[in-house]
Amino acid sequence: MCPRKIEVIRIQQEQLPSLVKEMIETFELFAKSEWRKQTSFGIKSSEIRVLVCIRVLSTENDHGVNISDISKKLAVTSPTVTQMVKHLIHEGFVQRAADSRDKRISLLRLTDKGELVAEKAFERFKTIFYGLIETIGEKESKELITLLNQVYQYFRQLDPIDRE
């Protein structure tokens, strides 16, 4: 970003009401947060989320999981999921097989290696969120969930032009 543009942004922020400024600063803190971006087991955090997703969806459907199921659950495009799955297959975390009912469809299952990583990641997520609930309390946690859902809905309603 050029110095002139940074200066304009700084001037604009100084003119913001304090609540808006505080909201922006708080969202910036979350954007800088690394809690979801840590690499483990030699794969990216986004790939670990795919493994956990496959694990969760597999409990709902014992035939296997397809790319579009993962894409919908994670709210990520199918091409993005496809690239992650290719890497996970290459690394031995996931295996692909043709659907016995429709050979055109590929179904995904975790390998033993993938199951182990998904289990450890799921346990880590649970530990993090149990700790968060313990830290801020049950009532505040419920309020936070409500507020974050409202924030999510607000951002989903923005015009595509506003998102750029």
Side-chain angles (χ1 to χ4, degrees):
M1 192 176 297
C2 72
R4 173 76 179 120
K5 190 169 185 176
I6 292 172
E7 186 61 30
V8 170
I9 290 171
R10 188 175 298 122
I11 290 168
Q12 289 172 343
Q13 285 185 340
E14 289 171 1
Q15 297 170 352
L16 294 174
S18 63
L19 185 59
V20 172
K21 187 175 180 181
E22 190 174 345
M23 180 80 73
I24 291 169
E25 289 169 355
T26 301
F27 271 83
E28 286 174 348
L29 285 175
F30 276 97
K32 293 176 186 174
S33 174
E34 297 292 321
W35 77 272
R36 288 186 72 183
K37 297 178 185 174
Q38 297 172 354
T39 301
S40 303
F41 309 102
I43 57 176
K44 299 174 190 171
S45 61
S46 56
E47 293 168 334
I48 291 174
R49 284 193 298 278
V50 169
L51 293 177
V52 171
C53 183
I54 292 170
R55 184 173 186 259
V56 169
L57 291 172
S58 293
T59 62
E60 300 167 7
N61 179 2
D62 59 349
H63 292 86
V65 178
N66 64 40
I67 296 287
S68 65
D69 294 333
I70 299 167
S71 177
K72 288 175 193 167
K73 183 84 171 174
L74 295 178
V76 179
T77 65
S78 290
T80 300
V81 173
T82 299
Q83 289 305 310
M84 288 188 276
V85 165
K86 283 181 181 179
H87 185 252
L88 291 169
I89 290 169
H90 178 11
E91 294 296 320
F93 294 101
V94 174
Q95 60 188 13
R96 183 189 321 252
D99 186 342
S100 60
R101 298 167 293 182
D102 186 344
K103 301 294 182 195
R104 297 169 297 170
I105 298 174
S106 291
L107 296 177
L108 306 169
R109 296 180 193 271
L110 297 178
T111 62
D112 289 342
K113 181 179 174 182
E115 184 64 43
L116 177 66
V117 171
E119 175 63 26
K120 286 183 178 182
F122 186 70
E123 288 303 317
R124 181 175 178 269
F125 285 146
K126 282 191 338 190
T127 300
I128 288 170
F129 287 102
Y130 275 121
L132 179 59
I133 292 167
E134 188 176 302
T135 300
I136 68 174
E138 187 175 336
K139 181 181 178 221
E140 290 80 1
S141 294
K142 289 178 181 179
E143 289 174 13
L144 179 61
I145 290 166
T146 299
L147 291 170
L148 288 174
N149 280 317
Q150 290 173 356
V151 169
Y152 174 75
Q153 291 304 321
Y154 169 76
F155 284 126
R156 283 203 61 200
Q157 293 174 15
L158 291 178
D159 288 336
I161 294 171
D162 292 339
R163 292 183 195 166
E164 294 176 358

